[in-house]
């Protein structure tokens, strides 16, 4: 370890992963963490977001108890994480269930994204967030013995370690792995969030999160915190077709609610009444990328978190929880190597050790997520243009992937396992050191 005053941690991106990383490390007196965000204001882009038990537990572990409050976190009263209903009859065909023991406060919850971001921001010193700082490049300066980060406005910053948490189209990831750019999957969502009072005239309005499945499209509806409601329509097309709908659409672009109504005009009276009362919609084309070989970048001083690390495209509504677990695992790895009572700052070799621990804790799990999602995307495309019978649809609804391995993943146990693997590796190379 080397003598300096504080370890400088730069986080690129003020989304869920970036804010959670800041929260996880803020109590360390020898860590100076700064967040650099390309947007000119902290305005969450998106609509609703779900967190599974793993994400809810991590919020609690981080001390962000305000995010667990029922005023912002909506949980199904039945305890089912998701209820799947038929597009034409509205009948419940299947449900997801928690496999392990889950306390009420950790049940799967839906949020308005802005409310979740607001809850996290309450735990971050705003003076540590720097806006209008789009990432351009990073290089290690031998004279400074530090990373020099260059932003798109021409300014620079120095740091000892960098976390790229800048989203699915991560500039940090593509700087190090240029061929990791995302591509459109053909899946398009139409999202809206509005006061539930718009639906007050609907007598049988679902009071839990429901996912209606059709042959080539689906509809998700749910209450959210603070008397809001979300409607998410989804449609699959072939991304290779030149005339595929929304082929050239951009994230969070303005949509036409009349098109949404046209897409669901043959659906049940209940779903049509909800869509007819939806005041607006915005377009979100789904993109994804393959996993990268390693998260230990920049000669052991740069890593990734959240969608930047695993651009899986948001399937299973798992992105938020994955980001939170990434943040906790990175912080746990850094605190293990560099505890609060450390007399000196970590060396370059010790920082690389931090990133290896973090990668061992998380990457195998998120690689599995990416594999499952890509397999699912292939199946969706294989069905596109085919005629599926009602019997086949019902069978597909009942035989879908059980997501409990994902939503109930134990990141603390994974970190403990990573520590054991590291100890075993040290023991294999140096038996005397292993006995210490």
């Amino acid at each position: 370890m080397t003598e300096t005053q504080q370890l400088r941690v730069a986080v690129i991106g003020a989304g869920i992963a970036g804010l959670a990383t800041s929260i996880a490390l803020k109590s360390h007196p020898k860590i100076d963490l700064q967040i650099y965000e390309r947007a000119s204001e902290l305005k969450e882009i998106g609509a609703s977001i779900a967190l599974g038990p793993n994400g809810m537990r991590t919020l609690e572990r981080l001390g962000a108890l305000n995010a667990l409050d029922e005023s912002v976190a909506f949980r199904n009263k039945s305890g089912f994480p998701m209820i799947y209903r038929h597009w034409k009859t509205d009948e419940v065909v299947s449900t997801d269930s928690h496999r392990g023991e889950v306390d009420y406060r950790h049940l799967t919850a839906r949020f308005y994204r802005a409310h979740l971001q607001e809850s996290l921001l309450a735990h971050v010193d705003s003076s540590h967030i720097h806006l209008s700082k789009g990432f351009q490049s990073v290089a290690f300066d031998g004279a400074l013995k530090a990373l020099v980060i260059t932003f798109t406005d021409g300014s620079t910053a120095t740091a000892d370690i960098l976390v790229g948490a800048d989203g699915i189209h991560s500039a940090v990831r593509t700087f190090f792995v240029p061929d990791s750019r995302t591509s459109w999957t053909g899946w398009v969502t139409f999202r809206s969030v509005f006061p539930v009072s718009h639906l007050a005239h609907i007598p049988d309005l679902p009071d839990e999160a429901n996912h209606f499945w059709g042959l080539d499209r689906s509809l998700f509806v749910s209450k959210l915190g603070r008397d809001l409601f979300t409607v998410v329509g989804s449609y699959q097309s072939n991304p290779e077709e030149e005339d595929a709908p929304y082929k050239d659409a951009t994230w969070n672009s303005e949509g036409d609610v009349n098109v949404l109504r046209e897409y669901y005009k043959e659906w049940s009276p209940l779903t049509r009444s909800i869509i007819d009362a939806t005041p607006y919609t915005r377009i979100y084309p789904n993109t994804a990328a393959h996993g990268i070989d390693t998260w230990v970048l920049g000669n052991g001083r740069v890593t990734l978190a959240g969608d930047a690390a695993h651009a899986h495209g948001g399937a299973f509504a798992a992105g938020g929880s994955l980001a939170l677990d990434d943040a906790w695992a990175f912080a746990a790895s850094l605190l293990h190597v560099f505890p609060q009572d450390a007399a000196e700052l970590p060396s370059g070799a010790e920082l690389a050790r931090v990133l290896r621990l973090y990668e061992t804790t998380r990457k195998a799990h998120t690689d599995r997520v990416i594999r499952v999602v890509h397999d699912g995307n292939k199946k969706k495309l294989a069905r596109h243009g085919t005629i599926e019978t009602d019997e086949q649809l019902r069978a597909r609804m009942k035989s879908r992937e059980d997501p409990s391995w994902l939503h109930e993943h134990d990141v603390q146990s994974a970190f403990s396992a990573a520590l054991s693997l590291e100890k075993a590796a040290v023991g294999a190379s140096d038996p005397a050191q292993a006995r210490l």
Side-chain angles (χ1 to χ4, degrees):
M1 292 194 177
T2 58
E3 278 190 44
T4 50
Q5 293 190 343
Q6 285 188 305
L7 180 73
R8 296 163 296 179
V9 179
V11 175
I12 307 299
I16 292 173
L19 295 176
T21 299
S22 176
I23 295 168
L25 293 171
K26 71 176 185 177
S27 62
H28 198 306
K30 297 175 184 175
I31 290 180
D32 172 21
L33 188 147
Q34 303 293 325
I35 299 175
Y36 301 94
E37 167 58 46
R38 69 176 179 177
S40 59
E41 61 177 325
L42 286 179
K43 182 180 180 181
E44 179 59 66
I45 295 177
S48 59
I49 185 171
L51 295 180
N54 58 326
M56 299 296 279
R57 288 171 179 142
T58 298
L59 281 176
E60 185 173 77
R61 205 174 291 128
L62 294 174
L65 301 182
N66 55 331
L68 273 66
D69 192 88
E70 290 192 346
S71 64
V72 294
F74 175 79
R75 302 165 178 85
N76 277 0
K77 63 183 181 181
S78 65
F80 293 126
M82 184 69 85
I83 298 169
Y84 298 89
R85 298 174 68 171
H86 192 276
W87 68 283
K88 195 69 171 176
T89 67
D90 297 332
E91 66 189 286
V92 175
V93 177
S94 184
T95 59
D96 285 338
S97 298
H98 294 301
R99 299 303 178 191
E101 185 174 336
V102 180
D103 293 337
Y104 175 79
R105 66 187 184 281
H106 300 147
L107 291 177
T108 296
R110 273 85 190 181
F111 299 79
Y112 180 37
R113 289 187 70 103
H115 293 167
L116 180 57
Q117 184 188 56
E118 176 186 300
S119 298
L120 294 173
L121 280 168
H123 300 273
V124 178
D125 185 339
S126 61
S127 68
H128 290 195
I129 302 176
H130 310 276
L131 302 176
S132 300
K133 295 296 178 184
F135 174 87
Q136 180 171 298
S137 65
V138 62
F140 184 76
D141 187 308
L144 296 175
K145 295 183 180 180
L147 297 172
V148 176
I149 308 158
T150 301
F151 301 102
T152 52
D153 64 359
S155 64
T156 62
T158 56
D160 300 300
I161 192 167
L162 182 149
V163 180
D166 51 338
I168 194 166
H169 303 297
S170 171
V172 178
R173 184 185 70 241
T174 54
F175 177 78
F176 286 98
V177 190
D179 64 356
S180 68
R181 297 185 185 279
T182 58
S183 59
W184 183 45
T185 66
W187 191 249
V188 177
T189 59
F190 308 81
R191 296 178 177 270
S192 55
V193 173
F194 51 88
V196 70
S197 57
H198 282 257
L199 310 175
H201 62 285
I202 302 175
D204 50 352
L205 180 71
D207 60 356
E208 298 195 281
N210 282 247
H211 199 180
F212 295 81
W213 278 27
L215 303 178
D216 64 348
R217 62 203 66 185
S218 67
L219 184 73
F220 172 76
V221 300
S222 179
K223 289 183 177 179
L224 303 174
R226 299 180 188 171
D227 296 320
L228 294 178
F229 195 89
T230 188
V231 172
V232 183
S234 300
Y235 173 77
Q236 179 70 51
S237 60
N238 186 342
E240 301 301 323
E241 295 177 353
E242 288 298 324
D243 59 348
Y246 302 101
K247 186 181 185 72
D248 299 317
T250 57
W251 188 259
N252 193 37
S253 55
E254 184 176 354
D256 185 344
V257 73
N258 291 315
V259 172
L260 182 68
R261 290 165 185 158
E262 178 69 18
Y263 271 34
Y264 293 90
K265 66 181 181 181
E266 303 295 334
W267 282 44
S268 71
L270 171 60
T271 55
R272 289 203 313 272
S273 65
I274 294 172
I275 291 174
D276 287 345
T278 297
Y280 77 96
T281 190
R282 299 192 70 82
I283 307 301
Y284 297 84
N286 179 276
T287 59
H290 290 282
I292 61 177
D293 293 337
T294 180
W295 294 359
V296 183
L297 306 168
N299 293 320
R301 288 179 177 265
V302 178
T303 193
L304 304 167
D307 285 345
H310 34 80
H312 72 288
F316 297 108
S321 294
L322 289 170
L324 288 167
D325 280 355
D326 286 350
W328 182 90
F330 170 77
S333 300
L334 181 53
L335 294 172
H336 178 76
V337 174
F338 180 49
Q340 293 192 26
D341 60 356
E344 297 178 320
L345 299 188
S347 64
E350 287 163 331
L351 291 177
R353 179 190 170 200
V354 169
L355 300 195
R356 289 194 300 271
L357 264 177
Y358 167 54
E359 180 182 67
T360 303
T361 302
R362 295 296 293 153
K363 193 170 183 296
H365 177 66
T366 61
D367 281 351
R368 179 184 176 187
V369 175
I370 292 173
R371 286 195 303 272
V372 170
V373 169
H374 284 312
D375 287 346
N377 289 342
K378 290 177 183 177
K379 291 176 182 178
K380 286 179 185 177
L381 287 176
R383 287 196 307 271
H384 181 69
T386 64
I387 299 176
E388 185 178 45
T389 67
D390 188 68
E391 182 180 6
Q392 289 172 326
L393 170 65
R394 291 171 182 269
R396 179 160 59 88
M397 293 175 73
K398 293 176 181 178
S399 62
R400 68 193 185 284
E401 176 86 15
D402 178 358
S404 59
W405 64 271
L406 176 56
H407 298 310
E408 297 179 43
H409 177 72
D410 187 343
V411 68
Q412 286 183 305
S413 293
F415 178 63
S416 296
L419 289 176
S420 296
L421 286 172
E422 181 189 59
K423 185 176 181 179
V426 170
S429 60
D430 186 351
Q433 181 69 21
R435 291 193 294 270
L436 297 180

